[in-house]
Amino acid sequence: MSDWVRKSLEQIEAYRAGRRASEVKGELGLSDIIKLSSNESPFAPVRQASRAMGQALKGLNRYPDGDCRLLKSKLAANLDVAYETLMVGNGSNELIRLLAQVILEPGDEVIMAAPSFVVYPIVTAIMSAMAVEVPLKGLAHDLDAMAAAITPKTKLIFVCNPNNPTGTVVPAADCGAFLESVPGHVLVCFDEAYHEFVSDFTYGTALELRGKHENIIVLRTFSKIYGLAGARVGYGMAPPAVVEAIDKVREPFNVNLLGQIGAYYSLDGQPEIRRRAAVNRTQRELVESALDRLGLERAASQANFVYFDPRMPAAEAFDRLARHGVIVRAFRHGDHIRATLGSPKDNLVLINALGTLKTPP
């Protein structure tokens, strides 16, 4: 690495997005290919958001509201939380990085599951802190082991719920018991990017625990079920002191105008959001049944994707599925595959392609 760049960045592997459909299509000479690698929604933004964003195009010569005041006010009312606890970012990804910036000092420790969202160890390393990765147990968070990993150096804990890439959830009762074992000076960040997809009745949002525990941060996004991944809007609830600190270090106008408007009006589309969640559940059960018939071990997903063992190197499984017109996400560590749920038509193509994992290439 160049002498110009910080030595501590040498340990960081840059985030790599899923392969683009056009790229794979060209390589394999396919006429059509389905991208199921990035957990994107098969649905466009809700009608109210699309209309409002279109009308806002004529105002793009002006900067957006740097404090996202209208959006935060609407979120505060809808979620029944205090305005001063809300923060909005360029996707929840930016908020994760900002949290690391305002919380971590060099040498601090951050506890996270493994595997979990790949950005957690990246932001930890950026701040010259140490990622303490606790292996999953049964493809789900091992909260007992995470509690046992707490030391005097621990400053932050990430709990991705549902977890990415496995889709598994931590029940509300377990989250409450876990928080009882966490010292008050340690912040626990519950990343709930996929919470709208959950159908497990034992699941409960961490928002319900904030009245009893002050050291909770909750992150969410408009990128998934709301279909605004291209607009990049994430939000979160945190102690006011943390929100104030983030306001000091975030970029001015960090959430673009179209994103703010799209997110604001998306909140009016709750009947459509509930419909999408129901469709997702049906499609998830359909794909999971196919995996079960093929004897491919899978996680108990509560998200908009499935995570399974293809019983071969993940790279080989990726290539087989790609040759049949489906792009998925391959994980080298553990040789697992994550496939996003697409439209019903897309999912039938995925199910047919999965059958090729049982036969020789």
Side-chain angles (χ1 to χ4, degrees):
M1 183 172 282
S2 168
D3 290 339
W4 298 329
V5 179
R6 286 170 45 203
K7 299 299 182 186
S8 61
L9 298 184
E10 293 180 0
Q11 63 179 302
I12 300 176
E13 183 176 340
Y15 176 82
R16 304 296 180 192
R19 300 281 299 280
R20 298 186 66 83
S22 57
E23 175 187 2
V24 177
K25 187 188 299 184
E27 288 179 2
L28 299 179
L30 297 174
S31 60
D32 194 22
I33 199 157
I34 298 167
K35 181 173 178 280
L36 301 178
S37 57
S38 298
N39 298 344
E40 295 156 325
S41 171
F43 298 103
V46 300
R47 176 177 50 83
Q48 298 93 323
S50 293
R51 183 172 59 241
M53 293 168 78
Q55 294 172 347
L57 290 173
K58 60 182 178 295
L60 291 184
N61 58 312
R62 304 295 183 186
Y63 286 112
D65 176 4
D67 293 322
C68 298
R69 286 168 291 188
L70 288 177
L71 177 56
K72 287 198 291 187
S73 293
K74 196 167 189 176
L75 284 168
N78 283 23
L79 298 170
D80 192 24
V81 299
Y83 178 93
E84 61 270 18
T85 67
L86 280 160
M87 51 189 177
V88 184
N90 182 33
S92 57
N93 201 326
E94 183 194 32
L95 293 176
I96 292 169
R97 176 179 57 79
L98 290 171
L99 286 170
Q101 282 184 258
V102 303
I103 294 169
L104 302 177
E105 303 278 4
D108 286 341
E109 293 177 354
V110 182
I111 297 173
M112 62 198 71
S116 193
F117 189 31
V118 66
V119 170
Y120 304 152
I122 291 176
V123 300
T124 300
I126 288 173
M127 300 309 299
S128 298
M130 179 177 294
V132 179
E133 297 186 314
V134 177
L136 298 177
K137 183 178 181 181
L139 296 180
H141 280 69
D142 187 346
L143 293 185
D144 290 338
M146 293 177 77
I150 297 173
T151 74
K153 292 184 178 181
T154 304
K155 290 287 290 294
L156 179 63
I157 300 173
F158 284 109
V159 178
C160 192
N161 197 27
N163 186 44
N164 179 15
T166 61
T168 50
V169 296
V170 180
D174 293 351
C175 289
F178 173 67
L179 286 167
E180 294 292 342
S181 66
V182 178
H185 70 276
V186 177
L187 286 163
V188 182
C189 178
F190 290 90
D191 187 346
E192 297 183 347
Y194 300 93
H195 83 100
E196 294 98 341
F197 297 107
V198 177
S199 55
D200 184 344
F201 71 92
T202 67
Y203 174 85
T205 170
L207 280 180
E208 299 167 0
L209 302 170
R210 293 177 72 246
K212 189 175 181 181
H213 302 276
E214 297 181 350
N215 57 332
I216 294 177
I217 298 168
V218 181
L219 298 182
R220 293 182 178 176
T221 185
F222 286 94
S223 294
K224 305 303 179 185
I225 203 166
Y226 287 98
L228 286 176
R232 309 302 299 126
V233 186
Y235 64 100
M237 288 65 65
V242 174
V243 175
E244 291 174 11
I246 282 178
D247 278 340
K248 294 178 181 179
V249 301
R250 67 175 173 82
E251 294 183 11
F253 314 111
N254 61 321
V255 182
N256 70 79
L257 176 63
L258 293 183
Q260 288 189 42
I261 290 175
Y264 181 92
Y265 284 98
S266 288
L267 294 172
D268 295 333
Q270 294 310 309
E272 167 63 13
I273 298 306
R274 290 190 291 271
R275 186 189 74 82
R276 293 180 181 188
V279 170
N280 182 82
R281 178 179 182 177
T282 299
Q283 293 299 306
R284 185 173 65 214
E285 292 172 350
L286 188 69
V287 175
E288 288 178 337
S289 294
L291 291 169
D292 293 342
R293 288 195 303 272
L294 292 168
L296 299 177
E297 183 181 355
R298 62 174 175 83
S301 177
Q302 287 289 307
N304 68 332
F305 52 84
V306 293
Y307 180 83
F308 63 94
D309 180 357
R311 295 192 302 192
M312 64 182 67
E316 180 183 346
F318 175 93
D319 290 339
R320 287 199 190 191
L321 294 172
R323 287 198 296 270
H324 287 81
V326 179
I327 305 175
V328 295
R329 194 65 179 255
F331 290 85
R332 290 174 295 175
H333 304 295
D335 278 322
H336 277 71
I337 293 292
R338 187 193 69 198
T340 306
L341 300 170
S343 68
K345 181 181 177 181
D346 293 343
N347 296 331
L348 288 178
V349 176
L350 170 63
I351 288 171
N352 289 332
L354 289 172
T356 67
L357 300 181
K358 294 246 336 179
T359 59

